């Protein structure tokens, strides 16, 4: 290579290095932007899903209350007109802490109650509802009629405003009255927050990228300039020239001095490592950081012996640092998990270096609680395992709230028995399970004779006491493989599966005739009620729950026609035999 070609090659090399650094800078900017906007989108999705759950819970809470009013109508405690008016008054008075409200319209598009815009109710009555509002409620009805409930996004003014804002609402059909109960939450703040945060994130990403590009540019010049200087010195030496100030031995120049500085830094770092100064500082920083976390943290050695816990660990478990260090996490074992569970956990941890899930643990005071636990293996620079780190948080309160909401959704509040919704979900599973094992099941429809008279004579408090007593007696006098439900009013459903024979089902029905007819003492008054029962055997007379309930209702009416206080087997309706007790 000629002397003229050498400078040209150096310039090309520096240009290639500059282009690479610029490419890294642009890639950094694009990557930061993509990550930022993906996180922003995901945040919006999570907030929208949370708002949808909020709307659904509000509607279901109100529907549970209206269902109770409807039950009072069914048993004759209040008139049809009064029942509806009470329900509408309830809706008008219902407000939630965030300003959300409930509205009611029917499947014909008439608006029956709207707390924030009562003029819509009058306009709906007079037929003067504007076409856009009418079309919106027609859309509501089309989607609710198809599935029984629906989430719908649309534009609607906030209370006290005229400009429409984005909103997501949940609507559910109230079938007995042909009503649709709805409630929604506004999401314009979500979009506004997203745009604001997006601007902040974009600005931050831009500044970080510019700073990164500046650092890269600095690195570019800090590398190329010393290299150019070294190249010039080497060219001088190649021509036999010794530059002024350049050492004649060891080839010192800018790069040489930089190498010497790096060597000196390494020597000093090795000395500090030997003395353990940096290690102590790092441990102190880690300890302070861990104690600021709300999650409990455990750090162990490779044999799973605890070497470090944070302050939240002692608060959640009751074990002090001194009591925990040296032990294994087995001190927290609740006894709720089989050996296979822990074997799978450790196998996953050894294979992937990570495990995350829900686990039940026990505190020092004996309290067993659920927690969300994440464990990561810790490796050094040579990929040698040096320990494990686990972080956990107590989720007892969250699970309790979720279970409470689910219980109210699936049960009749007065008696504690499952409601119609839960019956329609669980009943077919129970009958199919018996059928798959070649066994039969029984469906008993039970009605309290003369219940309306008790309500009229002694009041609803006495009526409620009768219903609660009947529910308790049903629980006490039926086995484990039984599903008990209050259908509404004074009707109860008892599904028993599996059974060995029809005679076993009739024996259970006969026992219920006796125990349910025992007197009930209430405020010094003895209340006596007989019961009428319709019995259907599956799959002999019906395979589907709906068909079994229809036949049981016919058999129940036959029992009442025969004088009440008896059980009628639905088989008697087709065979002509006497299957009444």
């Amino acid at each position: 290579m000629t002397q003229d070609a050498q400078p040209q090659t150096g310039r090309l090399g520096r240009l290639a290095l500059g282009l690479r650094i610029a490419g890294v800078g642009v890639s950094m900017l694009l990557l930061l932007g993509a990550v930022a906007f993906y996180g922003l989108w995901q945040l919006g999705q999570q907030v929208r899903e949370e708002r949808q759950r909020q709307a659904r819970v509000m509607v279901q809470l109100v529907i549970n209350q209206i269902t109770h009013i409807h039950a009072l109508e069914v048993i004759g405690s209040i008139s049809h007109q009064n029942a509806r008016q009470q329900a509408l008054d309830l809706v008008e008075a219902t407000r939630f802490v965030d300003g959300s409200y409930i509205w009611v319209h029917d499947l014909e598009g008439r608006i029956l109650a709207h707390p924030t815009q009562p003029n819509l109710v009058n306009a709906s009555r007079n037929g003067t509802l504007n076409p856009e509002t009418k079309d919106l409620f027609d859309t509501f009805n089309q989607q609710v009629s198809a599935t029984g409930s629906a989430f719908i996004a649309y534009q609607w003014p906030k209370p006290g405003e005229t400009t429409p804002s984005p909103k997501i609402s949940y609507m559910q059909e109230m079938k007995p009255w042909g009503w649709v109960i709805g409630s929604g939450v506004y999401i314009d703040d979500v979009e506004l927050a997203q745009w604001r945060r997006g601007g902040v994130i974009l600005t931050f990403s831009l500044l970080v990228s510019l700073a990164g590009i500046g650092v890269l540019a600095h690195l570019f010049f800090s590398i190329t300039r010393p290299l150019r200087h070294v190249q010039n010195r080497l060219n001088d030496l190649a021509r036999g020239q010794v530059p002024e100030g350049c050492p004649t031995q060891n080839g010192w120049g800018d790069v040489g001095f930089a190498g010497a500085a790096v060597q000196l830094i390494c020597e000093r770092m090795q000395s500090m490592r030997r003395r353990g100064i940096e290690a102590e500082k790092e441990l102190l920083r880690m300890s302070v950081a861990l104690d600021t976390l709300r999650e409990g943290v455990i750090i162990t050695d490779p044999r799973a012996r605890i070497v470090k816990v944070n302050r939240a660990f002692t608060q959640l478990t009751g074990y002090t640092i001194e009591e925990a260090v040296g032990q294994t996490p087995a001190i927290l074992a609740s006894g709720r998990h089989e050996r296979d569970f822990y074997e799978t956990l450790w196998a996953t941890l050894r294979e992937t270096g990570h495990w995350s899930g829900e686990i039940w643990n026990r505190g020092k005071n004996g309290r067993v609680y659920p927690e969300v636990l994440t464990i990561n293996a810790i490796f050094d620079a040579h990929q040698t395992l040096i320990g494990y780190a686990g972080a956990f948080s107590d989720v007892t309160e969250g699970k309790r709230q979720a279970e409470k909401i689910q219980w109210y959704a699936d049960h009749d509040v007065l008696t504690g028995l499952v409601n119609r919704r839960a019956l329609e979900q669980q009943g077919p599973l129970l009958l199919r399970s018996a059928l798959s094992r070649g066994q039969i099941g029984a469906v008993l429809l039970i009605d309290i004779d003369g219940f309306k008279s008790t309500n009229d004579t002694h009041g609803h408090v006495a009526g409620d006491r009768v219903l609660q007593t009947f529910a308790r007696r049903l629980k006490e006098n039926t086995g484990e493989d039984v599903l008990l439900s209050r259908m509404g009013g004074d009707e109860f459903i008892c599904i028993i599966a599996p059974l060995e024979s029809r005679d076993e089902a009739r024996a259970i029905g006969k026992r219920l005739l006796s125990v349910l007819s025992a007197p009930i003492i209430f405020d010094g008054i003895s209340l006596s009620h007989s019961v009428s029962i319709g019995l259907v055997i599956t799959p002999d007379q019906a395979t589907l729950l709906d068909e079994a309930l229809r036949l049981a209702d016919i058999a129940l009416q036959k029992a009442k026609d025969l004088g009440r206080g008896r059980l009628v087997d639905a088989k008697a309706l087709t065979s002509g035999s006497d299957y009444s007790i």
Side-chain angles (χ1 to χ4, degrees):
M1 182 180 293
T2 65
Q3 293 184 0
D4 293 334
Q6 291 178 354
Q8 181 67 20
T9 302
R11 284 192 294 272
L12 290 176
R14 291 191 295 273
L15 178 60
L17 180 59
L19 291 175
R20 289 178 183 178
I21 292 177
V24 170
V26 172
S27 299
M28 182 188 301
L29 179 61
L30 293 176
L31 180 60
L32 284 174
V35 170
F37 280 103
Y38 174 78
L40 194 62
W41 173 84
Q42 194 173 45
L43 174 66
Q45 290 296 108
Q46 292 174 352
V47 174
R48 285 185 174 86
E49 290 174 0
E50 180 61 30
R51 298 286 176 88
Q52 288 180 346
R53 285 193 293 270
Q54 177 186 345
R56 179 169 56 193
V57 168
M58 291 189 296
V59 169
Q60 289 178 346
L61 288 175
V62 172
I63 284 184
N64 284 341
Q65 298 180 60
I66 295 178
T67 300
H68 179 69
I69 296 174
H70 172 62
L72 296 178
E73 176 198 350
V74 171
I75 63 177
S77 299
I78 57 177
S79 66
H80 177 70
Q81 185 64 31
N82 286 341
R84 292 193 172 206
Q85 188 58 49
Q86 285 187 26
L88 293 176
D89 292 342
L90 171 67
V91 170
E92 292 285 352
T94 299
R95 292 291 192 282
F96 297 94
V97 294
D98 62 352
S100 301
Y101 56 87
I102 300 290
W103 82 83
V104 180
H105 67 276
D106 61 21
L107 293 175
E108 296 180 4
R110 292 189 295 268
I111 302 174
L112 305 179
H114 199 292
T116 63
Q117 296 192 39
N119 58 302
L120 294 178
V121 178
N122 295 329
S124 178
R125 258 188 223 136
N126 301 332
T128 59
L129 206 61
N130 69 68
E132 292 181 357
T133 303
K134 187 176 184 304
D135 291 342
L136 180 60
F137 278 84
D138 287 342
T139 301
F140 292 167
N141 285 340
Q142 289 174 6
Q143 297 199 29
V144 172
S145 297
T147 60
S149 63
F151 284 104
I152 302 176
Y154 58 98
Q155 299 278 334
W156 190 263
K158 291 183 177 180
E161 299 181 5
T162 58
T163 303
S165 298
K167 186 176 186 180
I168 293 179
S169 289
Y170 174 77
M171 282 151 276
Q172 184 172 330
E173 183 179 358
M174 173 72 179
K175 290 186 178 180
W177 291 345
W179 285 7
V180 175
I181 314 297
S183 181
V185 290
Y186 291 94
I187 59 172
D188 55 331
D189 58 330
V190 177
E191 296 177 356
L192 181 59
Q194 279 185 281
W195 282 111
R196 287 176 177 173
R197 189 168 294 184
V200 173
I201 292 175
L202 184 60
T203 301
F204 177 75
S205 300
L206 183 60
L207 291 175
V208 170
S209 299
L210 291 175
I213 291 173
V215 170
L216 292 174
H218 174 73
L219 288 174
F220 170 75
F221 290 110
S222 65
I223 292 173
T224 57
R225 284 174 179 171
L227 286 177
R228 186 168 61 250
H229 181 72
V230 170
Q231 182 183 24
N232 291 336
R233 299 290 80 77
L234 291 174
N235 290 335
D236 290 341
L237 291 172
R239 291 193 296 268
Q241 299 176 359
V242 179
E244 183 178 354
C246 179
T248 57
Q249 296 180 356
N250 298 327
W252 283 14
D254 291 341
V255 175
F257 287 122
V262 170
Q263 182 179 357
L264 179 60
I265 291 173
C266 290
E267 291 174 351
R268 289 182 178 178
M269 289 182 64
Q270 290 172 355
S271 176
M272 290 174 64
R273 180 175 297 174
R274 285 192 297 269
R275 294 194 302 269
I277 296 175
E278 189 62 26
E280 291 178 1
K281 291 181 179 179
E282 184 63 26
L283 285 175
L284 179 60
R285 287 193 292 266
M286 182 184 71
S287 179
V288 172
L290 290 179
D291 282 339
T292 63
L293 298 176
R294 292 185 297 178
E295 293 80 12
V297 175
I298 305 176
I299 299 176
T300 75
D301 63 17
R303 296 180 300 165
R305 294 286 176 183
I306 299 174
V307 297
K308 176 70 177 176
V309 296
N310 69 344
R311 187 178 303 159
F313 171 90
T314 65
Q315 294 170 348
L316 292 171
T317 67
Y319 288 100
T320 64
I321 296 176
E322 293 75 16
E323 291 171 332
V325 171
Q327 301 291 330
T328 70
I331 62 172
L332 303 175
S334 65
R336 289 201 178 189
H337 299 288
E338 299 293 338
R339 182 186 183 95
D340 291 344
F341 173 85
Y342 293 103
E343 289 178 349
T344 302
L345 184 156
W346 281 104
T348 302
L349 194 55
R350 285 191 292 267
E351 180 179 350
T352 66
H354 173 81
W355 186 90
S356 180
E358 184 173 299
I359 189 172
W360 288 85
N361 272 342
R362 184 189 303 274
K364 183 180 178 181
N365 62 1
R367 183 178 76 92
V368 176
Y369 56 93
E371 67 181 36
V372 173
L373 170 65
T374 298
I375 309 175
N376 287 299
I378 307 172
F379 299 92
D380 63 13
H382 304 289
Q383 292 302 301
T384 300
L385 178 68
I386 60 174
Y388 300 94
F392 65 92
S393 58
D394 188 341
V395 294
T396 302
E397 188 58 30
K399 291 179 69 69
R400 185 183 295 119
Q401 291 298 326
E403 290 171 357
K404 183 176 180 181
I405 292 173
Q406 187 61 48
W407 190 93
Y408 278 105
D410 292 341
H411 289 79
D412 171 55
V413 177
L414 180 63
T415 63
L417 303 182
V418 301
N419 56 23
R420 179 185 291 271
R421 172 181 174 276
L423 175 71
E424 292 174 350
Q425 293 176 346
Q426 302 173 27
L429 298 177
L430 194 60
L431 296 178
R432 281 199 296 269
S433 176
L435 180 62
S436 67
R437 291 180 283 179
Q439 295 175 305
I440 65 172
V443 178
L444 292 87
L445 180 58
I446 306 169
D447 183 82
I448 304 175
D449 298 326
F451 178 77
K452 183 178 184 301
S453 175
T454 296
N455 260 342
D456 294 341
T457 304
H458 301 288
H460 296 303
V461 175
D464 287 349
R465 178 64 62 86
V466 170
L467 293 172
Q468 291 169 340
T469 303
F470 268 63
R472 177 175 53 79
R473 290 177 179 176
L474 281 171
K475 294 176 184 176
E476 294 172 350
N477 290 276
T478 52
E480 294 181 355
D481 297 326
V482 174
L483 180 62
L484 299 173
S485 172
R486 181 186 172 208
M487 295 289 286
D490 58 350
E491 282 192 347
F492 296 84
I493 292 290
C494 177
I495 300 178
I496 310 172
L499 289 172
E500 296 296 333
S501 66
R502 179 183 296 272
D503 289 340
E504 183 182 357
R506 288 164 59 82
I508 294 173
K510 185 177 180 180
R511 183 169 71 250
L512 292 178
L513 282 175
S514 175
V515 298
L516 295 178
S517 300
I520 300 171
I521 307 302
F522 174 71
D523 285 349
I525 303 171
S526 179
L527 303 175
S528 297
H529 296 83
S530 62
V531 295
S532 298
I533 304 177
L535 169 66
V536 173
I537 300 297
T538 64
D540 294 353
Q541 296 159 257
T543 56
L544 300 178
L545 179 60
D546 288 344
E547 179 65 13
L549 291 176
R550 185 184 69 80
L551 292 176
D553 185 62
I554 297 174
L556 174 65
Q557 296 305 317
K558 184 65 175 178
K560 289 184 175 292
D561 294 340
L562 292 174
R564 302 184 178 184
R566 63 182 63 222
L567 176 147
V568 171
D569 189 331
K571 187 174 182 180
L573 303 177
T574 56
S575 66
S577 303
D578 182 11
Y579 281 84
S580 66
I581 297 176

